[in-house]
Amino acid sequence: MEMRRKIIAMTIGVAAMTCVSCDFVTSDNGDLDGLWQMTFMEDLRTQQVTDARDKMVAWAFQGTLVQMNSEQIEEVTGEFALEEHSLRIWNLNHFSHATGDTLMTDMTILRTLGIYSQEPSFHVLELSKSTLRLENDSVRISFRKY
């Protein structure tokens, strides 16, 4: 039941992101747009592989915005660019109902999301309608699309 509520909340969040703008904006993101559940994460420095399917880590892409959630982190938002086989993310903010948006400076909090730096860049290993695989010097991440 708890997982179902989180899925519904994230779906509503993605829908809200699409309705915020007054202008109709189309996206050239192709299969990337939508909600992705992290399935596996491998820390390439320690070779530790984490099965993330039960941790409810999700990334959502729409337009130029990315939103990340997990059981431990309420909401992280940022901007992204998808170019060729590269995904770049920047301007990461943590949202809290108590304090509003706060620029992320402590990256240790974000490691459960697969983020190891303030402006991570990933090589896109695979992107299809159902699978997303990303890699950089620190981490390799696999997702499935909701």
Side-chain angles (χ1 to χ4, degrees):
M1 190 64 146
E2 179 68 24
M3 179 167 43
R4 184 181 178 125
R5 285 193 309 204
K6 288 186 180 193
I7 291 170
I8 291 171
M10 291 184 74
T11 303
I12 291 170
V14 169
M17 286 181 4
T18 62
C19 296
V20 170
S21 175
C22 295
D23 298 325
F24 182 74
V25 177
T26 59
S27 170
D28 293 329
N29 299 327
D31 291 331
L32 183 63
D33 279 345
L35 185 59
W36 296 89
Q37 178 193 15
M38 185 184 293
T39 54
F40 292 95
M41 179 173 61
E42 179 182 0
D43 186 320
L44 298 177
R45 296 174 183 165
T46 65
Q47 305 303 310
Q48 179 181 2
V49 177
T50 302
D51 182 345
R53 291 175 291 190
D54 63 342
K55 301 197 183 321
M56 290 307 301
V57 177
W59 292 17
F61 296 92
Q62 185 68 43
T64 61
L65 300 177
V66 61
Q67 177 181 341
M68 303 169 192
N69 296 72
S70 74
E71 292 177 336
Q72 298 168 328
I73 301 172
E74 185 177 351
E75 182 177 311
V76 174
T77 59
E79 298 177 68
F80 78 93
L82 178 65
E83 300 161 349
E84 296 287 318
H85 296 285
S86 177
L87 176 68
R88 190 171 54 91
I89 300 173
W90 68 94
N91 197 22
L92 291 170
N93 290 282
H94 178 253
F95 175 77
S96 167
H97 290 287
T99 60
D101 283 341
T102 307
L103 186 65
M104 294 299 302
T105 55
D106 182 2
M107 293 298 105
T108 57
I109 296 170
L110 296 180
R111 289 190 180 202
T112 59
L113 297 173
I115 303 295
Y116 284 57
S117 66
Q118 285 184 325
E119 294 189 6
S121 291
F122 297 94
H123 178 70
V124 180
L125 300 173
E126 181 180 358
L127 175 58
S128 69
K129 293 180 190 262
S130 61
T131 304
L132 172 61
R133 291 181 42 234
L134 304 173
E135 179 181 82
N136 61 21
D137 292 339
S138 303
V139 66
R140 183 179 301 126
I141 312 170
S142 297
F143 296 87
R144 74 174 180 93
K145 197 165 204 176
Y146 276 119

